[in-house]
Amino acid sequence: MAPFVIACVEPHLVPIQFVFIRLLNRVIDSVKHDVAHTFSAVFLSQPNVFTHQRICFEEGDIALSPAKDIMLAIRNKCQVNSEDWSSKDKNFGNKNAPYAVFNALDYMLKDSLERLRTMRENISSVKIGLQGYTCENNYTEHTVTLRYLCLEGKLGAALWLRRKMVQKGILPDVFTHNHIVNGLCKIGLVEKADWLIREMLEFGPHPSCATFNNLIKAYCVVNTVDKALSLFSTMANIGIQPNRITCNILVHSLCKKGLLKEAKKMLEDILHDDDDKDVPDLVTSTILMDNYFKNGETIEALSFWNEMLQKCTKVDVVAYNVLINGFCKSQQTKFAYGIACEMLKKGLLPDAFTYNSLIGALCKKGNTNEACYIFQVMSKMGIMPDQISYKIMIQGLCFKGDIARAKELLRCMLDNLMVPKPLIWNLIIDFYGRCRDVSNAFFTRDQMLAFGVRPNVFTYNALVVALLKSGDIYDACSLKEEMPLKGLFPDVVTYNLLIGAACNLGRVGFALQLHGEMLQRGYEPDLITYTELLKGFCIRGKMKEAEELYAKILKSGLLTDHVPVQILFSMYCKRKDPVVAFNFYQDWLASKGRSYPY
């Protein structure tokens, strides 16, 4: 029976059947023991029956005890009593013997059946419990796996696992769905995330505020604020209350688009707690204050700052940094210093952003000595300068012409195992290029390669400038040809530098050849390109070609400054033809009026 039962059940239920078989064997052994014990008592009370039974066993050459084969003994006992009933002696020694035997058998059978029924009910309850436990265990395992796949960026596998769970009637919770939505938004599948949220609204689980926040942020990142605002309205329509994070995301996006009025109105819609209704939101106020500073509206920015202080909002380091950076950008360095001192008095330690703002403002004013002092104070305060700090200082020193201190800072970066980014190397190479120091420019490029930093297009453009400044146009063109071998391609700036150098040398044909190569590679010439060509035509005295090129510039709408007109005006004045020069000037004024009608 055991193999039959095991073969008929499902594979995942085999352990339960083993439990059933083990319990069934125990019941059968118990029945055997009870029947043996009962019949032994009956046989002892009926000596004739026992004697006759023993004689029957001996006559059949069977030597079995009642305990070993109790079912056979019961069958033989019934047969003996049946034979005795048909004999002439109807009493069989004792007339109540048959009734006693069958009554005992009937009682034992009923008791065994009752035990089997109870056992079957218990096994069913255990089976249901095990299945429930297994289902719950599988649900937990699947949801954990699904979240892990989302964190690893394996969204295809995560969506497949979710679909399999739904097909089996197991629906992941909203927290797990938030992982999927966030993962889809991170890799740019915003439409897929939108579809998933709509499916959640229809079939469940009901999305939370965090679900919509992920999608709203994704729409703001791709600059589709209209859809983000539409989702904001949808949240209110379906009964999901937006929180401060929702409004902060929208305020930040509206400020990026320059919609400060709409952002300020969004601030009024931020949900406050019952005890803090009059307290402004710190993050939102900081975002608005920063954007007012960027637009030059210092008074409006300071009004947000005063409102935060008056209403006892706990101002953090980020808010102070925004205020200091705003004063630095508006060249009000004294106020920035005052805010930094106030920040220290309140126990808030400045960070790298604070010092970078101060250093940048000082470098813009050309006060590199004070900037270097702040840079040293930064290190003494236990705040290590970062790449931005070094970039600001090296850029300021290069513009000031202090290349010695700039290289000293570069050496400090290397000593501190901080490999500079290409921009920092390019600043020093560009300085050497403008100073016509070709050897040091290329030495810095080689040092850059030695530290594993790959040069970019700006690096090669700086080297081209260095070669052109020294009058070496041939090596500059060779450097242009070398760029594709390094996996780089010349850009519009590269061609403009070479075209300008060729025109200055009077080699207009070579300049036109470079212009054709530029068009062949798919680059669109800009105003600088046409201006250099126009200058080359004028130098060579090809005024007809210069006038045609000027007409082309007017037609393209690229004319935004006075340089091309000034070149033609000066050339016709030198040729003693002021009327033509004045006509060009009038045409330029007319084109400028069409471009700026107001």
Side-chain angles (χ1 to χ4, degrees):
M1 177 179 180
F4 176 76
V5 174
I6 295 174
C8 292
V9 297
E10 296 180 2
H12 65 278
L13 297 180
V14 171
I16 299 177
Q17 301 303 327
F18 279 126
V19 174
F20 172 76
I21 294 169
R22 188 180 293 111
L23 293 176
L24 183 60
N25 290 333
R26 291 180 180 177
V27 172
I28 293 174
D29 292 338
S30 178
V31 172
K32 290 179 180 181
H33 182 269
D34 293 341
V35 173
H37 184 270
T38 304
F39 275 96
S40 62
V42 174
F43 292 155
L44 290 174
S45 63
Q46 303 293 334
N48 294 333
V49 176
F50 181 78
T51 304
H52 192 81
Q53 177 68 30
R54 184 180 60 192
I55 294 172
C56 291
F57 289 160
E58 291 176 354
E59 291 177 353
D61 294 331
I62 301 175
L64 299 176
S65 63
K68 292 185 178 179
D69 200 350
I70 194 66
M71 299 306 294
L72 181 59
I74 293 172
R75 185 188 63 184
N76 292 335
K77 176 63 182 170
C78 295
Q79 291 174 355
V80 170
N81 285 331
S82 299
E83 293 173 358
D84 291 337
W85 290 342
S86 62
S87 62
K88 295 180 180 180
D89 187 5
K90 301 296 182 182
N91 293 330
F92 189 62
N94 187 354
K95 62 180 180 180
N96 294 324
Y99 298 101
V101 174
F102 282 106
N103 287 338
L105 180 61
D106 184 61
Y107 174 78
M108 287 185 294
L109 290 175
K110 288 182 179 180
D111 184 64
S112 299
L113 292 174
E114 185 68 23
R115 289 183 184 181
L116 288 173
R117 183 182 66 82
T118 305
M119 182 180 63
R120 184 173 60 183
E121 292 177 354
N122 292 336
I123 291 175
S124 298
S125 62
V126 171
K127 178 180 177 181
I128 293 172
L130 289 174
Q131 287 179 344
Y133 174 78
T134 304
C135 182
E136 182 180 356
N137 187 33
N138 290 338
Y139 172 79
T140 305
E141 182 181 352
H142 288 336
T143 52
V144 171
T145 304
L146 201 152
R147 296 169 193 170
Y148 174 77
L149 291 173
C150 293
L151 294 175
E152 291 294 319
K154 301 175 182 178
L155 275 304
L159 291 173
W160 177 85
L161 181 58
R162 174 190 174 274
R163 185 172 66 251
K164 291 297 180 182
M165 293 177 67
V166 172
Q167 290 175 357
K168 292 182 179 180
I170 304 174
L171 190 63
D173 56 5
V174 65
F175 182 69
T176 307
H177 276 83
N178 288 347
H179 275 72
I180 302 177
V181 172
N182 185 41
L184 291 173
C185 293
K186 280 185 177 180
I187 62 176
L189 298 178
V190 186
E191 298 298 331
K192 188 73 174 179
D194 195 349
W195 165 83
L196 183 60
I197 291 180
R198 284 188 275 107
E199 185 173 312
M200 291 172 66
L201 290 171
E202 185 175 358
F203 301 105
H206 198 266
S208 63
C209 184
T211 314
F212 281 94
N213 286 347
N214 289 326
L215 189 57
I216 289 175
K217 183 178 180 181
Y219 276 127
C220 291
V221 168
V222 297
N223 203 23
T224 53
V225 186
D226 296 338
K227 291 186 177 181
L229 293 173
S230 177
L231 279 176
F232 182 78
S233 303
T234 304
M235 293 175 66
N237 294 334
I238 63 177
I240 298 178
Q241 195 76 4
N243 56 14
R244 297 189 178 193
I245 297 176
T246 314
C247 297
N248 290 339
I249 294 172
L250 291 172
V251 166
H252 186 63
S253 180
L254 290 171
C255 289
K256 279 186 175 181
K257 294 180 71 68
L259 304 174
L260 292 179
K261 292 183 179 179
E262 290 78 2
K264 188 175 181 180
K265 185 178 182 303
M266 184 66 66
L267 175 62
E268 300 173 356
D269 297 335
I270 293 180
L271 303 176
H272 301 285
D273 298 330
D274 294 335
D275 299 331
D276 299 328
K277 287 185 178 180
D278 296 332
V279 178
D281 183 78
L282 178 61
V283 178
T284 314
S285 299
T286 304
I287 294 172
L288 288 170
M289 182 173 63
D290 181 45
N291 283 274
Y292 275 119
F293 271 123
K294 290 179 179 178
N295 291 344
E297 302 178 18
T298 308
I299 298 177
E300 289 79 1
L302 292 177
S303 66
F304 278 100
W305 176 258
N306 294 328
E307 183 181 359
M308 287 190 291
L309 294 180
Q310 291 174 1
K311 295 186 177 180
C312 301
T313 301
K314 187 177 180 181
V315 183
D316 57 1
V317 178
V318 178
Y320 273 103
N321 285 342
V322 168
L323 187 62
I324 292 172
N325 187 53
F327 282 127
C328 289
K329 285 185 175 180
S330 59
Q331 297 297 319
Q332 298 177 359
T333 315
K334 293 182 179 180
F335 290 104
Y337 277 128
I339 297 298
C341 294
E342 180 184 346
M343 182 179 177
L344 288 170
K345 290 179 182 179
K346 289 189 176 182
L348 298 175
L349 296 178
D351 55 9
F353 186 87
T354 314
Y355 287 104
N356 291 342
S357 299
L358 295 172
I359 293 172
L362 293 171
C363 288
K364 284 182 179 179
K365 295 175 67 175
N367 194 351
T368 55
N369 292 327
E370 190 173 353
C372 289
Y373 172 75
I374 297 295
F375 188 85
Q376 294 175 358
V377 171
M378 177 182 181
S379 301
K380 292 179 180 179
M381 291 292 291
I383 301 173
M384 292 299 297
D386 54 8
Q387 292 268 357
I388 298 176
S389 308
Y390 282 103
K391 190 265 294 184
I392 295 172
M393 281 301 310
I394 292 176
Q395 186 177 22
L397 291 171
C398 288
F399 287 161
K400 190 74 174 179
D402 194 350
I403 190 61
R405 282 203 286 187
K407 291 193 68 175
E408 180 65 21
L409 288 178
L410 178 63
R411 187 187 62 80
C412 290
M413 292 185 70
L414 298 175
D415 291 341
N416 293 326
L417 301 179
M418 185 183 295
V419 179
K421 293 183 178 180
L423 176 60
I424 297 177
W425 297 96
N426 293 341
L427 288 171
I428 297 178
I429 294 174
D430 180 68
F431 174 82
Y432 284 126
R434 288 186 285 108
C435 295
R436 302 180 181 181
D437 193 345
V438 180
S439 60
N440 277 323
F442 277 89
F443 173 79
T444 307
R445 193 275 306 267
D446 296 337
Q447 189 180 14
M448 177 181 181
L449 290 170
F451 281 94
V453 182
R454 181 185 178 188
N456 52 24
V457 178
F458 301 100
T459 311
Y460 278 93
N461 287 342
L463 294 173
V464 168
V465 170
L467 292 171
L468 293 177
K469 287 278 186 180
S470 62
D472 194 352
I473 190 174
Y474 297 102
D475 287 342
C477 291
S478 299
L479 199 62
K480 175 184 72 72
E481 299 298 329
E482 179 186 334
M483 292 177 66
L485 300 177
K486 303 295 182 180
L488 301 172
F489 294 95
D491 58 358
V492 177
V493 177
T494 312
Y495 282 103
N496 287 345
L497 291 172
L498 295 174
I499 290 173
C503 291
N504 289 332
L505 295 175
R507 300 181 59 182
V508 183
F510 182 62
L512 292 175
Q513 181 181 349
L514 290 171
H515 176 261
E517 180 182 337
M518 181 180 179
L519 294 175
Q520 186 178 1
R521 292 194 174 185
Y523 295 112
E524 287 292 334
D526 56 6
L527 182 61
I528 297 176
T529 312
Y530 290 120
T531 303
E532 295 294 341
L533 289 174
L534 183 67
K535 181 176 64 175
F537 285 131
C538 291
I539 292 175
R540 297 286 294 179
K542 298 181 178 181
M543 303 307 299
K544 182 179 179 181
E545 289 82 352
E547 292 179 8
E548 292 177 354
L549 185 59
Y550 179 73
K552 184 177 181 181
I553 296 174
L554 287 177
K555 187 176 180 181
S556 64
L558 294 174
L559 186 59
T560 56
D561 57 21
H562 64 283
V563 177
V565 179
Q566 186 179 3
I567 294 173
L568 289 172
F569 187 87
S570 300
M571 181 58 62
Y572 277 107
C573 288
K574 287 181 180 180
R575 295 169 68 93
K576 299 181 180 181
D577 197 347
V579 177
V580 178
F582 183 75
N583 290 335
F584 277 108
Y585 180 73
Q586 290 291 334
D587 292 340
W588 175 69
L589 288 179
S591 64
K592 187 177 179 181
R594 289 193 297 269
S595 301
Y596 305 99
Y598 300 103

